[in-house]
Amino acid sequence: MPGPPACCLTPAPHGRAPEPAIHRARGAPCPHVPRSASSSAAPAPSASAARSPTRLAARIEAAGGEPVLLDLAEIQLPLLDEALPPASGVRTQPHSIAWAERITALDAVVFVTPDYNAGYPAALKNAIDYLKAEWVGLPAVVVSYGWAGGAAANAQLSAVLRYIGLDLQGDGVRMAFEQGDFDESMRLVDAAAFVARSEDDLRTAVADLVAAGEAAERAAA
Ligand SMILES: Cc1cc2nc3c(=O)[nH]c(=O)nc-3n(C[C@H](O)[C@H](O)[C@H](O)COP(=O)(O)O)c2cc1C
């Protein structure tokens, strides 16, 4: 039996939606959750920190989780277009129903976000706002990146997730850019090296999250 899957919501390249990579934890492997740790994120034509989702997948797998990348750039949720508020539980649009099913299948979530003007990207907020009960109690961790480690985005997103009722684990991870990380075209020179600088924090956060997912799975059994 595989361990509880880990999930992560991943960042978006410029102009694209953030990519959630999520891990499922409850019950049996979900049919729509690949058992492979490899993420489906397409290479992004951006400086992007991180492509961290794909790099995170291996860390989730190493911690015994089953990573699944939910790439908002691929999922392409429209701006929230349900007539009733998400707390009603009423989902009428096919994309709303599909999104709810994907989140419900997860055991935990790693939200990976860049810092855009002292906040997190609008597409990520939109994806979060589609749902309510599906998020409540879901173990989660926020991984941010930016010049100050994306601290502002991390704080803003963490506050929203706490408000909704996700079960935030720890204090999150902040991956800080340094001078020399980017070339003259503002592209990240060495994404692996950038992510590796946060290796210890990522390993701890992912291990804690996978453990929380396992505990939630046991409690639900
Ligand atoms: C609209 C926009 C606003 C940004 N604002 C900030 C900011 O306030 N703080 C920061 O550290 N970086 C900021 N950045 C830089 C991003 O953190 C950096 O470009 C990062 O690589 C973006 O991630 P992405 O390529 O995955 O979108 C901003 C980038 C964009 C596109």
Side-chain angles (χ1 to χ4, degrees):
M1 282 287 288
C7 48
C8 57
L9 283 178
T10 74
H14 305 312
R16 302 173 66 194
E19 310 156 0
I22 291 152
H23 69 242
R24 76 173 296 279
R26 286 170 199 127
C30 172
H32 66 255
V33 175
R35 299 179 67 86
S36 161
S38 63
S39 83
S40 60
S46 81
S48 201
R51 297 282 67 210
S52 22
T54 46
R55 299 177 193 286
L56 209 49
R59 290 161 172 86
I60 291 170
E61 212 172 34
E66 182 181 354
V68 176
L69 176 63
L70 299 185
D71 183 346
L72 293 184
E74 292 177 358
I75 293 169
Q76 291 280 315
L77 284 168
L79 284 176
L80 179 58
D81 56 357
E82 287 287 350
L84 294 176
S88 70
V90 177
R91 319 269 179 255
T92 61
Q93 302 282 5
H95 51 264
S96 307
I97 295 166
W99 180 233
E101 288 175 352
R102 297 184 87 161
I103 300 304
T104 301
L106 303 175
D107 295 315
V109 182
V110 180
F111 290 83
V112 184
T113 182
D115 194 320
Y116 281 6
N117 293 315
Y120 59 96
L124 179 54
K125 184 65 160 61
N126 185 54
I128 292 168
D129 287 345
Y130 260 92
L131 308 177
K132 172 64 176 176
E134 295 86 345
W135 294 122
V136 173
L138 194 60
V141 68
V142 175
V143 174
S144 59
Y145 55 91
W147 287 103
N154 199 309
Q156 190 186 68
L157 177 56
S158 296
V160 167
L161 298 180
R162 277 194 202 93
Y163 173 82
I164 293 171
L166 284 91
D167 182 15
L168 274 191
Q169 304 293 309
D171 195 31
V173 177
R174 292 156 195 76
M175 301 194 295
F177 296 145
E178 293 176 359
Q179 297 299 331
D181 279 346
F182 295 92
D183 64 17
E184 61 282 354
S185 303
M186 296 186 72
R187 290 183 179 276
L188 197 64
V189 174
D190 188 342
F194 169 71
V195 175
R197 289 207 299 262
S198 301
E199 179 62 40
D200 290 347
D201 289 345
L202 287 170
R203 189 187 304 113
T204 300
V206 166
D208 289 350
L209 187 64
V210 170
E214 287 171 339
E217 188 179 25
R218 280 194 300 275

